[in-house]
Amino acid sequence: MSNTLTHILKNECPNCHKGKVFKDKNIFLNFGFPKMNEYCSHCNYKFQKEPGYFFGAMYVNYGLTVAQGIATYCVAQMFFEQTFDLRIIPIIAVAITLLTSFNLRFSRLVWIYMFKDYTS
């Protein structure tokens, strides 16, 4: 499991772990819509199996965003006296906005790894 997470964070192909899924080398600090390779440069593994393949990755992205929003709230509420201070909402919004690009790439990588053929 930890090896899989390492491969996901390194943006590596789920089949050979040598090629890159996204054209950008670093999935953490990129802004804008991600540009994916259609095939792995090393083993020719096709990343997008069919049209609409990554619609399911939106659910992974949603869950990740909710978890980050809750984590941001838990950290931010320690700095305020009231439990439900409205000043926490912009902090959560900024955190989610800054993590959007990472979430999109990470959720697609998780989706590809979830549906990789592990029998071969």
Side-chain angles (χ1 to χ4, degrees):
M1 179 67 182
S2 64
N3 286 338
T4 302
L5 186 60
T6 304
H7 294 303
I8 289 174
L9 292 175
K10 287 184 178 179
N11 183 25
E12 294 176 346
C13 171
N15 194 39
C16 67
H17 305 297
K18 294 180 182 172
K20 299 294 183 186
V21 176
F22 290 98
K23 294 180 181 179
D24 305 321
K25 299 290 183 201
N26 185 356
I27 67 166
F28 297 107
L29 297 173
N30 291 317
F31 297 102
F33 198 75
K35 292 173 180 52
M36 290 185 64
N37 295 317
E38 192 171 342
Y39 294 94
C40 176
S41 60
H42 189 264
C43 68
N44 211 26
Y45 180 80
K46 186 173 182 179
F47 297 125
Q48 185 171 352
K49 305 294 183 202
E50 60 190 20
Y53 177 70
F54 291 111
F55 284 149
M58 290 188 301
Y59 294 107
V60 175
N61 190 353
Y62 176 74
L64 189 62
T65 303
V66 168
Q68 290 167 347
I70 291 170
T72 303
Y73 169 77
C74 290
V75 170
Q77 66 112 14
M78 291 188 283
F79 297 101
F80 296 97
E81 289 180 17
Q82 296 178 351
T83 306
F84 297 107
D85 196 329
L86 291 178
R87 294 177 290 179
I88 296 176
I89 294 173
I91 295 170
I92 295 171
V94 167
I96 288 173
T97 303
L98 290 175
L99 291 169
T100 299
S101 180
F102 169 76
N103 288 348
L104 186 61
R105 287 171 174 78
F106 187 75
S107 63
R108 283 188 174 200
L109 283 165
V110 167
W111 194 254
I112 289 172
Y113 272 80
M114 279 175 41
F115 291 104
K116 175 196 176 296
D117 184 20
Y118 287 100
T119 58
S120 57

Coordinates of all heavy atoms in Angstrom, one line a residue, residues 60-91:
V60 N -13.7 10.9 -6.2 CA -12.4 10.9 -5.4 C -12.0 12.3 -5.1 O -11.7 12.6 -3.9 CB -11.3 10.2 -6.2 CG1 -10.0 10.2 -5.4 CG2 -11.7 8.8 -6.5
N61 N -12.1 13.2 -6.1 CA -11.8 14.6 -5.8 C -12.7 15.3 -4.8 O -12.2 16.0 -3.9 CB -11.8 15.4 -7.2 CG -11.3 16.8 -7.1 OD1 -10.9 17.3 -6.0 ND2 -11.2 17.4 -8.2
Y62 N -14.0 15.0 -4.9 CA -14.9 15.5 -3.9 C -14.6 15.1 -2.5 O -14.6 15.9 -1.6 CB -16.3 15.1 -4.3 CG -17.4 15.6 -3.3 CD1 -17.8 16.9 -3.2 CD2 -18.0 14.6 -2.4 CE1 -18.7 17.3 -2.3 CE2 -18.9 15.0 -1.5 CZ -19.3 16.4 -1.5 OH -20.2 16.8 -0.5
G63 N -14.4 13.8 -2.3 CA -14.0 13.2 -1.0 C -12.7 13.8 -0.5 O -12.6 14.2 0.7
L64 N -11.8 14.0 -1.3 CA -10.5 14.6 -0.9 C -10.7 16.1 -0.5 O -10.2 16.5 0.5 CB -9.5 14.5 -2.1 CG -8.1 14.9 -1.8 CD1 -7.5 14.0 -0.8 CD2 -7.3 14.8 -3.1
T65 N -11.5 16.8 -1.3 CA -11.8 18.2 -0.9 C -12.5 18.3 0.4 O -12.2 19.2 1.2 CB -12.6 18.9 -2.1 OG1 -11.8 18.7 -3.3 CG2 -12.8 20.3 -1.8
V66 N -13.5 17.5 0.6 CA -14.2 17.5 1.9 C -13.3 17.2 3.1 O -13.3 17.9 4.1 CB -15.4 16.5 1.9 CG1 -16.0 16.3 3.3 CG2 -16.5 17.0 0.9
A67 N -12.4 16.2 2.9 CA -11.5 15.9 4.0 C -10.5 17.0 4.2 O -10.2 17.3 5.4 CB -10.7 14.6 3.6
Q68 N -10.1 17.7 3.2 CA -9.2 18.9 3.4 C -9.9 20.0 4.0 O -9.4 20.7 4.8 CB -8.6 19.3 2.0 CG -7.6 18.3 1.5 CD -7.3 18.6 0.0 OE1 -7.9 19.3 -0.7 NE2 -6.2 17.9 -0.4
G69 N -11.2 20.2 3.7 CA -12.0 21.3 4.3 C -12.2 21.0 5.8 O -12.1 21.9 6.6
I70 N -12.5 19.8 6.2 CA -12.6 19.4 7.6 C -11.3 19.6 8.3 O -11.3 20.1 9.4 CB -13.2 18.0 7.7 CG1 -14.7 18.0 7.2 CG2 -13.1 17.5 9.1 CD1 -15.3 16.6 7.0
A71 N -10.2 19.1 7.7 CA -8.9 19.2 8.4 C -8.6 20.7 8.5 O -8.0 21.1 9.6 CB -7.9 18.5 7.5
T72 N -8.8 21.5 7.5 CA -8.6 23.0 7.6 C -9.4 23.6 8.8 O -8.9 24.4 9.5 CB -8.8 23.7 6.3 OG1 -8.1 23.1 5.3 CG2 -8.5 25.2 6.4
Y73 N -10.7 23.2 8.9 CA -11.5 23.7 9.9 C -11.0 23.3 11.3 O -10.9 24.2 12.2 CB -12.9 23.2 9.8 CG -13.8 23.5 11.0 CD1 -14.3 24.8 11.2 CD2 -14.0 22.5 11.9 CE1 -15.0 25.0 12.3 CE2 -14.8 22.8 13.1 CZ -15.3 24.0 13.3 OH -16.0 24.3 14.4
C74 N -10.5 22.1 11.4 CA -10.0 21.6 12.7 C -8.8 22.4 13.2 O -8.6 22.7 14.3 CB -9.7 20.1 12.7 SG -11.2 19.1 12.6
V75 N -7.9 22.7 12.2 CA -6.7 23.4 12.5 C -7.0 24.9 12.8 O -6.5 25.5 13.8 CB -5.7 23.3 11.4 CG1 -4.5 24.2 11.6 CG2 -5.2 21.8 11.3
A76 N -7.9 25.5 11.9 CA -8.2 26.9 12.1 C -9.0 27.2 13.3 O -8.8 28.3 13.9 CB -8.9 27.4 10.8
Q77 N -9.9 26.3 13.8 CA -10.7 26.6 14.9 C -9.9 26.7 16.2 O -10.4 27.3 17.2 CB -11.9 25.6 15.0 CG -11.4 24.2 15.3 CD -11.8 23.8 16.7 OE1 -12.7 24.4 17.3 NE2 -11.2 22.7 17.2
M78 N -8.7 26.2 16.2 CA -7.9 26.4 17.4 C -7.4 27.8 17.6 O -7.1 28.2 18.7 CB -6.7 25.4 17.3 CG -7.0 24.0 17.4 SD -5.6 22.9 17.5 CE -5.0 22.9 15.8
F79 N -7.5 28.6 16.6 CA -7.0 30.0 16.7 C -8.1 31.0 17.0 O -7.9 32.2 17.0 CB -6.3 30.4 15.4 CG -5.1 29.6 15.1 CD1 -5.1 28.5 14.2 CD2 -3.9 29.9 15.8 CE1 -3.9 27.8 14.0 CE2 -2.7 29.1 15.6 CZ -2.8 28.1 14.7
F80 N -9.4 30.5 17.1 CA -10.5 31.3 17.4 C -11.2 30.9 18.7 O -11.1 29.7 19.1 CB -11.5 31.3 16.3 CG -11.0 31.8 15.0 CD1 -10.5 30.9 14.0 CD2 -11.0 33.2 14.7 CE1 -10.0 31.4 12.8 CE2 -10.5 33.6 13.5 CZ -10.0 32.8 12.6
E81 N -11.8 31.9 19.4 CA -12.5 31.6 20.7 C -13.8 30.8 20.5 O -14.0 29.8 21.2 CB -12.7 32.9 21.4 CG -11.5 33.5 22.0 CD -11.8 34.8 22.7 OE1 -13.0 35.0 23.1 OE2 -10.9 35.6 22.9
Q82 N -14.6 31.2 19.5 CA -15.8 30.6 19.3 C -15.6 29.3 18.4 O -14.8 29.3 17.6 CB -16.8 31.5 18.6 CG -17.2 32.7 19.4 CD -18.1 33.7 18.6 OE1 -18.3 33.5 17.4 NE2 -18.6 34.7 19.3
T83 N -16.5 28.3 18.7 CA -16.3 27.1 17.9 C -16.7 27.3 16.5 O -16.0 26.8 15.6 CB -17.3 26.0 18.5 OG1 -16.9 25.9 19.9 CG2 -17.1 24.7 17.9
F84 N -17.8 28.0 16.2 CA -18.2 28.2 14.8 C -18.1 29.7 14.5 O -19.1 30.4 14.3 CB -19.7 27.8 14.6 CG -19.9 26.3 14.9 CD1 -20.5 25.8 16.0 CD2 -19.4 25.4 13.9 CE1 -20.6 24.5 16.2 CE2 -19.5 24.0 14.2 CZ -20.1 23.6 15.3
D85 N -16.9 30.1 14.3 CA -16.6 31.5 14.0 C -16.7 31.6 12.4 O -16.1 30.8 11.7 CB -15.2 31.9 14.5 CG -15.0 33.4 14.5 OD1 -15.6 34.1 13.6 OD2 -14.2 33.9 15.3
L86 N -17.4 32.6 11.9 CA -17.6 32.8 10.5 C -16.3 33.2 9.8 O -16.2 33.1 8.6 CB -18.7 33.8 10.2 CG -20.1 33.4 10.6 CD1 -21.1 34.5 10.3 CD2 -20.5 32.1 9.8
R87 N -15.3 33.6 10.5 CA -14.0 34.0 9.9 C -13.2 32.8 9.4 O -12.3 32.9 8.7 CB -13.2 34.8 10.8 CG -13.8 36.2 11.1 CD -13.0 36.9 12.1 NE -13.1 36.3 13.5 CZ -12.5 36.7 14.5 NH1 -11.7 37.7 14.5 NH2 -12.7 36.0 15.7
I88 N -13.7 31.6 9.8 CA -13.0 30.4 9.4 C -13.4 30.0 7.9 O -12.6 29.4 7.2 CB -13.4 29.2 10.3 CG1 -12.8 29.5 11.7 CG2 -12.8 27.9 9.8 CD1 -13.2 28.5 12.8
I89 N -14.6 30.4 7.5 CA -15.0 30.1 6.2 C -14.1 30.6 5.1 O -13.7 29.8 4.2 CB -16.5 30.6 5.9 CG1 -17.4 29.8 6.9 CG2 -16.9 30.4 4.5 CD1 -18.8 30.2 6.9
P90 N -13.6 31.8 5.1 CA -12.7 32.3 4.0 C -11.3 31.5 4.1 O -10.7 31.3 3.1 CB -12.4 33.7 4.3 CG -13.5 34.2 5.2 CD -14.0 33.0 5.9
I91 N -10.9 31.1 5.3 CA -9.7 30.3 5.4 C -9.9 29.0 4.7 O -9.0 28.5 4.0 CB -9.3 30.2 6.9 CG1 -9.0 31.5 7.5 CG2 -8.1 29.2 7.1 CD1 -8.9 31.5 9.0

